[in-house]
């Protein structure tokens, strides 16, 4: 039987390594590639940079499809409302899509699948957004999500290497397949502009990371040419405040599915072949496994993106302080390093994973004592690589709520940035009001004499805010509050301790001092390897004691 098929694009905005798309082409006479602007996913809470990236990715995908004598049909509305009309209008007999593990996506897909089957339409989905079948990883772990990275690695090793990616469809694959494109379809199903989506684009800056599969593959090729850099890559050794990215910045392309994670994995394997190279968790392969770790946790832990109802998450009595939250979000904390990072986020939609660590710690357990759920919302809106599982997982990690338990290790909003940018060039780039401050005061402008502030043309309290909290005081108070929250944890939530000789428990001060002494010798990989291949919201690293 020759089918009339809809292939439903969601995240996998690419032709390469798209097994669901290839399934659509088998025994197919008419193909309708569809993308739906679902109001649940694409709404006023999506930042401008993210919108621009999506529209660019859709344009690129449409261009690639047109080279195969097809095109992309873009519609707006709830999928459960849109599809029944398309099924009838196009006389559809098959629906294909890439499997998605997010709770909303699973519910949505179940509803659409039911609607399709009620009309006798066959439904095929394929796994290609992750390296492995996430459900299979959980099954291999006795039905429970692995809660440590090392355990995830053991499970992945047991399953063997990820499947190899498949090629993109060719003109030969499409030679007997038609995509009906009447003239009226050009306007009705075309990709909208940002203006047509009622978005104010006046604040948009330069597009540093254009969306799309072709751009993703181009960037991948460029990085793979740097074999020495790829082989020696260790995520913790990259800089959070370099003026140009010190990582690959392929994370947005993997998030939107412009680049297949499996393609990325196997291209790295080709470069590694026969060469000495870094290993997980710090290597680029390691970053892809961090992504897999958080995806697995997100599937296996109910209410993963919330504190309440999340069995793995420490219950913390976070404060509700709208003024502090707004200051953090709007880069008005009075700490230049923190404000520069938040400015970069708003302007560019991206920042280095260690920069994410610094601002996440500052908002939560470090300084402002505001729930990680509030930070999660801001990142979800503004990050190009905002990913539901990775965002929730990393905010829990960085707030020391789940996975990471060394809450006494706190990022200093002053000292941490100085380690890699002594003269504050990063701050000067993103906070030009401070660019004339001497290096001595660039991280702490409130300490500059009035004459220095006047010479710099920036008076603290007038042209740039005073610090909203005193870090030296609040971080100590917050460590005690975290200690109390940990004391209230149930035995099931507490980190597992090996049986052995009983000894007296060290005080929080003892632990903190011990960690300070070990700082120089700590292998940063155990703490800072991130789930992002390049900056996917990431795990803690060399936290600078205050």
């Amino acid at each position: 039987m020759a089918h009339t098929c809809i292939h439903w694009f969601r995240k996998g905005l690419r032709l390469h390594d798209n097994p669901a798309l290839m399934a659509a082409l088998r025994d197919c006479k008419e193909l309708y590639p569809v993308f739906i602007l679902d109001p649940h996913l694409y709404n006023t809470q999506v930042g401008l940079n993210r919108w621009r990236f999506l529209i660019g990715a859709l344009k690129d995908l449409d261009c690639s499809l047109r080279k195969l004598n097809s095109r992309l049909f873009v519609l707006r509305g709830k999928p459960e409302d849109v599809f029944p009309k398309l099924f009838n209008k196009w006389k559809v007999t098959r629906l294909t899509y890439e499997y998605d593990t997010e709770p909303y996506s699973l519910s949505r897909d179940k509803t659409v699948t039911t609607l399709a089957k009620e009309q006798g339409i066959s439904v095929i989905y394929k796994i290609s957004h992750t390296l492995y079948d996430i459900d299979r990883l959980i099954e291999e772990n006795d039905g429970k999500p692995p809660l440590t990275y090392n355990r995830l690695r053991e499970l992945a090793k047991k399953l063997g290497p990820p499947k190899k990616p498949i090629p993109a469809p060719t003109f030969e694959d499409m030679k007997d397949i038609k995509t009906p494109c009447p003239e009226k379809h050009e306007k009705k199903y075309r990709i909208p502009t940002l203006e047509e989506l009622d978005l104010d684009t006046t604040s948009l800056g330069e597009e540093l990371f254009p969306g799309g599969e072709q751009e993703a593959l181009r960037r991948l090729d460029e990085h793979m040419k740097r074999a020495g850099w790829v082989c020696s890559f260790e995520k913790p050794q990259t800089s959070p405040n370099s003026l140009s990215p010190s990582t690959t910045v392929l994370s947005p392309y993997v998030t939107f599915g412009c680049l297949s994670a499996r393609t990325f994995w196997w291209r790295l394997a080709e470069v590694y072949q026969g060469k000495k190279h870094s290993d997980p968790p710090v290597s680029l392969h390691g970053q892809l496994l961090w992504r897999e770790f958080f995806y697995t946790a997100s599937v296996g832990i109910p209410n993963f993106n919330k504190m309440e109802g999340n069995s793995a998450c420490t219950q913390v009595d976070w404060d509700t302080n709208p003024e502090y939250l707004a200051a953090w979000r709007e880069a008005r904390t009075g700490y230049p390093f923190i404000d520069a990072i938040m400015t970069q986020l708003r302007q560019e939609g991206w920042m280095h994973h260690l920069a994410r660590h610094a601002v996440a710690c500052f908002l939560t357990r470090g300084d402002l004592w505001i729930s990680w759920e509030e930070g999660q919302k801001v990142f979800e809106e503004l990050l190009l690589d905002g990913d539901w599982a990775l965002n929730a997982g990393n905010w829990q990690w960085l707030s020391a709520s789940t996975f990471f338990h060394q809450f006494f290790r706190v990022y200093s909003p002053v000292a941490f940035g100085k380690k890699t940018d002594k003269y504050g060039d990063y701050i000067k780039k993103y906070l030009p009001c401070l660019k004339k401050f001497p290096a001595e005061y660039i991280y702490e402008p409130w300490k500059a004499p009035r004459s220095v502030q006047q010479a710099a043309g920036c008076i603290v309290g007038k042209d740039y805010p005073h610090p909203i909290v005193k870090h030296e005081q609040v971080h100590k108070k917050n460590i005690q509050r975290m200690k109390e929250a940990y004391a209230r944890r149930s035995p099931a939530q507490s980190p597992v301790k090996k049986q052995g000789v009983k000894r007296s428990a060290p005080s929080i001060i003892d632990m903190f001092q011990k960690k300070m002494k070990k700082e120089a010798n700590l292998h940063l990989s155990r703490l800072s390897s991130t789930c992002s291949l390049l900056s996917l919201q990431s795990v803690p690293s060399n936290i600078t004691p205050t």
Side-chain angles (χ1 to χ4, degrees), residues 148-276:
T148 67
Y149 181 81
N150 284 340
R151 180 57 183 155
L152 183 281
R153 283 189 66 192
E154 290 171 3
L155 296 170
K157 186 175 182 180
K158 183 177 179 181
L159 293 180
K163 289 182 179 179
K164 290 198 173 183
I166 63 174
T170 64
F171 196 80
E172 181 68 20
D173 295 319
M174 296 283 291
K175 67 178 181 179
D176 297 322
I177 302 172
K178 296 180 179 179
T179 297
C181 297
E183 187 69 27
K184 61 181 180 180
H185 281 185
E186 285 297 327
K187 185 175 182 180
K188 185 176 182 179
Y189 298 112
R190 67 184 177 85
I191 300 166
T193 64
L194 293 175
E195 290 75 15
E196 288 169 342
L197 293 168
D198 296 323
L199 297 171
D200 182 2
T201 60
T202 54
S203 63
L204 276 177
E206 179 186 359
E207 188 173 18
L208 300 177
F209 314 110
E213 177 182 19
Q214 299 311 308
E215 179 68 14
L217 294 174
R218 184 193 69 79
R219 287 172 177 258
L220 179 65
D221 287 342
E222 287 299 314
H223 288 300
M224 294 305 102
K225 291 176 184 176
R226 304 162 62 197
W229 181 82
V230 169
C231 289
S232 63
F233 183 93
E234 293 189 2
K235 191 63 173 286
Q237 304 306 320
T238 57
S239 172
N241 42 12
S242 56
L243 297 186
S244 58
S246 58
T247 54
T248 65
V249 197
L250 286 172
S251 52
Y253 300 94
V254 176
T255 296
F256 279 86
C258 301
L259 175 63
S260 155
R262 297 190 300 209
T263 296
F264 193 1
W265 176 279
W266 285 102
R267 287 292 301 275
L268 288 168
E270 290 173 8
V271 175
Y272 290 158
Q273 187 67 37
K275 303 182 185 73
K276 182 180 179 181

Side-chain angles (χ1 to χ4, degrees), residues 149-150 153 233-236 279-290 523-530:
Y149 181 81
N150 284 340
R153 283 189 66 192
F233 183 93
E234 293 189 2
K235 191 63 173 286
D279 294 309
V282 298
S283 65
L284 286 169
H285 265 177
Q287 311 317 304
L288 288 166
L289 289 174
W290 275 114
H523 200 31
L524 301 182
S525 67
R526 294 298 181 267
L527 293 174
S528 88
S529 299
T530 167

Side-chain angles (χ1 to χ4, degrees), residues 122 165 239 255 292 306 386 419 452 485 531:
S122 64
S239 172
T255 296
E292 215 75 2
K306 301 183 188 317
K419 293 179 68 174
V452 173
C531 61

Side-chain angles (χ1 to χ4, degrees), residues 110-127:
K110 182 179 179 181
T111 299
V112 171
T113 296
T114 299
L115 292 171
K117 290 185 175 180
E118 285 175 353
Q119 297 196 31
I121 297 169
S122 64
V123 179
I124 299 173
Y125 67 80
K126 298 288 185 179
I127 295 169

Side-chain angles (χ1 to χ4, degrees), residues 387-424:
D387 180 298
W388 187 85
L390 304 180
N391 197 23
N394 279 285
W395 273 100
Q396 288 175 72
W397 185 301
L398 293 166
S399 63
S401 298
T402 317
F403 309 117
F404 175 72
H405 306 292
Q406 297 178 0
F407 57 83
F408 45 85
R409 297 178 62 79
V410 176
Y411 284 92
S412 165
V414 174
F416 183 59
K418 287 182 178 180
K419 293 179 68 174
T420 49
D421 183 21
K422 182 168 65 174
Y423 299 106

